[in-house]
């Protein structure tokens, strides 16, 4: 950390990734301490969720918001939507510090940005919080249907993962279908459960794992044919679908994975960027997480445009073509699919001459 380097050079993230705007928000009355980072508005207003998290210190919060807002620029660009990248963090324990007054104060800060930043849900914030935030700012998505939003995004996130998996299957086995393939779903929460439905309808054999016994029992009750395993990452499956936490693709799991295709909803699946090369060397195709899991982002972008549910669903299905293109260009250029996805995003960003 360069404490004598002024504001712009203060953090490596700031100087290396060149954010357009970073706003520090403090409200004495409610105890609010928040940072809103706008990485880029090149493609449109910067959209990204509000993370409410008990960061060890302010610098950790700053690093997180800068990294996440940068990631949102790439995610939106790769998703083909006209949105920029932004993110916000509220410092504190949501179980202790999240009060309606604090969220209202935060929302008023969002409103002052006049739409350059549009917020959404993330770790520590939920639909109820977004409904409340929406009472104080126009620039919010992901609200409940009752409050005029498009509701939970798990279904369309799962739909996007399913079509990404179809594109991956086509590149590995020549057929864009999961019929007769064994798919191991890790994490049967909101997205995992929806994904199971789509996979079974396509004729896949599904096995699952979860740390929550109740979640597993629910899957068994709904789908008796689904097998419950203690792990799926290294099980003899054709496809490994990480839909729980990120970071499950590690040096050791990359060595042990038997699947030929990895495609799931979890964010930041690679423990380190080099893991991609380890997967490549073993002939395993990885569909980049930020491309596969963009269904929720496409949904909120549709909510902003007031697109019909049918049109939004069509857009989510379009993830198939993007994955196909990204995988093909990775093969043609001899690079990883993650690098190919970044290039895909950068092509869209570079095509726009203006910056802000
Ligand atoms: P969720 O919280 O509803 O479900 C996650 C499930 O994973 C839970 O059932 C949990 O018990 C299980 N789990 C936790 N640790 C585990 C472990 N070590 N092994 C196996 N299972 C474990 O979350 P949701 O909404 O289904 O999201 C899943 C993933 O997709 C998350 O990483 C999330 O960040 C990502 N994602 C979700 C989107 C959405 O629209 N919900 C959009 C984009 C990404």
């Amino acid at each position: 950390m360069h404490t004598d380097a002024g504001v712009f050079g203060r953090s490596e993230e700031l100087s290396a990734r060149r954010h357009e705007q970073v706003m520090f928000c403090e409200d004495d009355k409610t105890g609010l301490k928040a940072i809103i980072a706008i990485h880029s508005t090149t493609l449109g207003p910067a959209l990204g969720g509000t993370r409410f998290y008990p960061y060890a210190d302010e610098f950790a919060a700053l690093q997180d918001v800068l990294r996440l807002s940068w990631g949102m620029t790439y995610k939106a660009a790769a998703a083909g939507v006209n949105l920029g990248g932004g993110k916000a963090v509220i410092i504190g324990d949501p179980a202790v510090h999240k009060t309606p007054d604090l969220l209202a104060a935060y929302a008023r800060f969002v409103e002052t940005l006049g739409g350059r930043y549009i917020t959404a849900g993330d770790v520590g914030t939920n639909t109820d919080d977004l409904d409340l935030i929406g009472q104080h700012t126009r620039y919010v998505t992901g609200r409940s249907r009752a409050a005029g939003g498009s509701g939970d995004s798990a279904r369309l996130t799962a739909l996007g993962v399913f079509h990404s998996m179809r594109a991956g299957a086509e590149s590995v086995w020549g057929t864009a279908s999961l019929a007769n393939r064994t798919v191991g779903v890790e994490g049967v929460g909101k997205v995992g459960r929806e994904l199971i439905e789509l996979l079974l309808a396509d004729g896949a054999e599904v096995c699952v794992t979860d740390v929550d016994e109740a979640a597993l029992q629910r899957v068994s009750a709904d789908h008796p044919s689904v097998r419950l395993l203690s792990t799926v990452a290294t099980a003899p499956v054709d496809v490994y679908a990480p839909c729980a936490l990120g970071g499950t693709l590690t040096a050791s799991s990359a060595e042990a994975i038997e699947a030929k295709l990895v495609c799931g909803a979890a964010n930041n699946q690679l423990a380190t960027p080099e893991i991609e090369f380890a997967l490549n060397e073993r002939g395993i195709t990885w569909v980049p997480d930020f491309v596969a899991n963009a269904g929720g982002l496409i949904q909120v972008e549709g909510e902003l445009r007031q697109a019909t549910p049918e049109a939004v669903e069509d857009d989510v299905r379009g993830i198939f073509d993007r994955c196909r293109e990204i995988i093909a260009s990775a093969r043609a250029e001899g690079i990883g699919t993650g690098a190919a996805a970044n290039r895909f995003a950068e092509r869209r960003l570079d095509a726009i001459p203006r910056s802000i």
Side-chain angles (χ1 to χ4, degrees), residues 75 153-154 157 186-192 209-212 215 243-245 265-267 293:
K75 182 166 179 167
S153 56
T157 298
E186 180 180 79
V188 288
K190 295 185 290 292
V191 177
T209 191
D210 200 294
V211 289
D212 179 358
C243 295
L245 304 178
N267 281 308
N293 70 15

